[in-house]
Amino acid sequence: MTGITVKDITQRFNRRTVLKDVNFTAEQGKVFGITGKNGSGKSTLVKIISGIISPTKGSIAFTRNGEDIPSEKRHEHIGLVGPYLTLYEEFSALENLRFFHSIRGLKYDEQQSNELLARLDLPTDRSDPIAAYSSGMMQRMRFAFALLHDPAFLFLDEPTSNLDTDGKNKVHGIVRELSAERCIIIATNDYEDFVLCDDYYSVDGSVPALLEQPAN
Amino acid sequence: MALAVKPASALFQKDVRSELRTRYTLNALLMFVVISISVVLFSVAGETLQPEITIGMLWIVMFFSAMSGMSRTFVAEEEKGTTMTLQLLASPSSIYAGKLLFNLLLIVCLNAVIVVLFLLTMEKFAISQPGLFWLVILLGGFGIASATTIIAAIIAKARTKGTLFPVLSFPILLPLIMAGISATKTAVMGTTWEAAIPDLQLLVSYIVVVITTSFLLFDYVWKD
């Protein structure tokens, strides 16, 4: 089995409790959704699962093909897309990918990197810094960052924000394509993202309004 | 505490490339060095200083030059918002090792520039033991880099970074500065290396203790 088990996660910032006793399991082959109102703690939960924030209480177990992944090795198996992720804007797209390859100890293959950029509809012939990219292109670059090392766990926080219709369709296609062999978690309030999910957890305990299809 | 050499080396190379492209830290450090040595020269006004005073000024310039730019290594990641990206890319110890390597390179180059400018501009600043002198400057630089790297990681998340960095650094660097000044005096005015051995032992011990402690602490500093 490949999946994650979130057990009794509680997160407090000073005296404010953002998350309380969160429990769920997400498995390979199914897309798991995290939903909740704005400010309810969806991104905090994604950051905790990704290992960026240590929770106040609780634990998260990562399993790949039946074997536990120790916490110090998890970053090698995780791909994260989130609006709070910033790439190195002084470098070009390929320079960013080259750095991500080398820091992960992977062999850099320019052709493979160009294929990844092309798959995300990003230009392969630009050598200027990505600081000049639009917000939609930057979001696609975040996907390149997340998919580069072929992770077993893909965490997508607001994955289609800043994307146009083509971009959204592209992302939804990638999620469908990858979900069979990966454990994917999507934190979203977007109906089109939410319908991709096989199961969900509501951070604020409410039944998501997203379950009701929009009128149009 | 899994240290991988490749990620550390990759981060070091990225920082060098980024610095050569933006020149933010390099320019700030060089400007500080030039301005502080100019002020020293104006205040001396052609008089010949006692070697003890020149050595004191040399270490003052080395300390405050480091304070003006060494925190950038982590502060820049925090300001650009790339800290989370780094957290997802490599283990904390690899990040610390990469940043330490970059700071080592920076401080060694910086101290070399400061010493050369001092030798060129200070009248009668002759060194009787050049080998010992450069060894002390090298060890002093390593000590400053090792301490300031972990302090930079600590203060990067604080709101008052600029003030906090020298305030936290001074007490931590004080033993190193005292041993460094003492060993530099021996190198400038002494006749043999032997008198500097206790100071050299202190400098090496300081570096080993600070780097070991930093590797152990960095996991806790790095994560929110």
Side-chain angles (χ1 to χ4, degrees):
Chain A
M1 176 217 164
T2 297
I4 70 164
T5 305
V6 174
K7 200 175 171 192
D8 298 331
I9 289 290
T10 295
Q11 182 65 41
R12 289 189 202 98
F13 293 116
N14 297 322
R15 288 180 193 168
R16 197 167 73 94
T17 302
V18 178
L19 299 167
K20 190 163 169 42
D21 295 328
V22 177
N23 288 283
F24 65 80
T25 302
E27 291 176 10
Q28 174 189 338
K30 289 177 182 173
V31 179
F32 191 87
I34 296 173
T35 184
K37 291 171 187 164
N38 289 340
S40 59
K42 295 189 296 296
S43 293
T44 302
L45 183 54
V46 172
K47 287 179 191 171
I48 290 171
I49 296 168
S50 306
I52 292 170
I53 298 177
S54 302
T56 312
K57 198 187 98 185
S59 63
I60 299 162
F62 279 67
T63 313
R64 188 172 190 183
N65 301 325
E67 285 184 25
D68 283 347
I69 305 173
S71 56
E72 67 272 14
K73 291 270 177 196
R74 283 179 194 168
H75 66 269
E76 295 170 13
H77 304 271
I78 291 173
L80 172 68
V81 175
Y84 35 78
L85 271 188
T86 310
L87 306 183
Y88 290 93
E89 297 189 352
E90 68 271 34
F91 295 138
S92 70
L94 278 179
E95 283 173 329
N96 266 286
L97 295 187
R98 189 183 298 131
F99 168 58
F100 300 147
H101 266 105
S102 56
I103 198 167
R104 286 189 183 279
L106 304 170
K107 195 175 171 224
Y108 177 67
D109 182 341
E110 191 161 322
Q111 192 186 341
Q112 189 192 349
S113 297
N114 274 324
E115 282 170 11
L116 180 60
L117 293 178
R119 185 182 176 196
L120 293 162
D121 288 339
L122 282 163
T124 55
D125 55 350
R126 277 177 69 163
S127 57
D128 56 329
I130 60 167
Y133 280 16
S134 69
S135 52
M137 290 167 82
M138 204 62 96
Q139 182 71 350
R140 289 165 198 250
M141 269 306 294
R142 291 190 187 105
F143 270 91
F145 165 73
L147 298 174
L148 182 84
H149 55 299
D150 197 19
F153 303 90
L154 198 55
F155 305 140
L156 310 176
D157 190 358
E158 307 286 358
T160 52
S161 60
N162 296 319
L163 293 178
D164 55 20
T165 309
D166 283 349
K168 284 185 178 182
N169 291 338
K170 177 73 75 180
V171 164
H172 293 155
I174 288 171
V175 170
R176 281 192 204 97
E177 182 192 327
L178 298 179
S179 62
E181 292 177 359
R182 281 164 192 80
C183 173
I184 300 181
I185 294 179
I186 301 179
T188 188
N189 272 329
D190 187 311
Y191 175 79
E192 290 171 68
D193 297 344
F194 194 69
V195 291
L196 295 167
C197 303
D198 300 292
D199 197 359
Y200 75 92
Y201 176 84
S202 174
V203 173
D204 51 10
S206 62
V207 176
L210 296 168
L211 289 175
E212 295 164 21
Q213 175 128 19
N216 54 352
Chain B
M1 198 185 78
L3 170 64
V5 177
K6 271 190 181 175
S9 160
L11 182 59
F12 167 71
Q13 287 174 41
K14 185 276 290 177
D15 279 351
V16 171
R17 207 175 304 128
S18 179
E19 188 51 45
L20 290 175
R21 198 160 291 183
T22 60
R23 308 226 169 161
Y24 191 98
T25 311
L26 272 179
N27 288 345
L29 289 174
L30 287 174
M31 282 307 293
F32 187 90
V33 169
V34 170
I35 290 168
S36 55
I37 291 180
S38 303
V39 170
V40 169
L41 285 173
F42 289 138
S43 61
V44 170
E47 281 184 37
T48 306
L49 294 178
Q50 295 291 319
E52 290 95 333
I53 296 171
T54 312
I55 291 164
M57 284 186 172
L58 174 70
W59 276 88
I60 288 171
V61 175
M62 288 202 304
F63 173 77
F64 281 106
S65 302
M67 292 304 103
S68 71
M70 298 300 283
S71 63
R72 287 298 303 166
T73 182
F74 280 106
V75 171
E77 300 283 358
E78 200 66 38
E79 284 176 355
K80 286 189 285 188
T82 46
T83 304
M84 279 186 206
T85 312
L86 271 186
Q87 285 173 338
L88 290 163
L89 284 167
S91 66
S93 46
S94 302
I95 302 289
Y96 175 74
K99 295 292 184 188
L100 176 64
L101 281 176
F102 178 72
N103 271 354
L104 283 175
L105 175 72
L106 203 61
I107 197 87
V108 166
C109 295
L110 178 74
N111 285 354
V113 170
I114 293 170
V115 170
V116 168
L117 284 176
F118 256 75
L119 290 172
L120 290 174
T121 55
M122 293 290 162
E123 278 188 49
K124 294 186 181 172
F125 184 47
I127 300 161
S128 63
Q129 303 282 332
L132 176 62
F133 179 81
W134 284 107
L135 179 66
V136 173
I137 297 297
L138 189 71
L139 289 176
F142 273 38
I144 292 173
S146 55
T148 51
T149 304
I150 190 71
I151 298 167
I154 293 168
I155 62 111
K157 290 183 171 69
R159 237 176 281 171
T160 51
K161 301 173 180 65
T163 323
L164 210 52
F165 190 56
V167 169
L168 264 181
S169 298
F170 182 67
I172 294 170
L173 285 171
L174 195 58
L176 176 100
I177 292 170
M178 288 169 73
I181 290 174
S182 172
T184 312
K185 273 185 194 168
T186 311
V188 172
M189 298 183 289
T191 51
T192 58
W193 278 56
E194 279 73 35
I197 286 174
D199 291 325
L200 292 176
Q201 285 171 335
L202 185 60
L203 288 174
V204 172
S205 308
Y206 180 92
I207 294 165
V208 171
V209 168
V210 170
I211 290 180
T212 309
T213 313
S214 299
F215 269 110
L216 294 172
L217 286 178
F218 190 71
D219 282 23
Y220 304 99
V221 174
W222 186 231
K223 283 198 177 180
D224 279 334

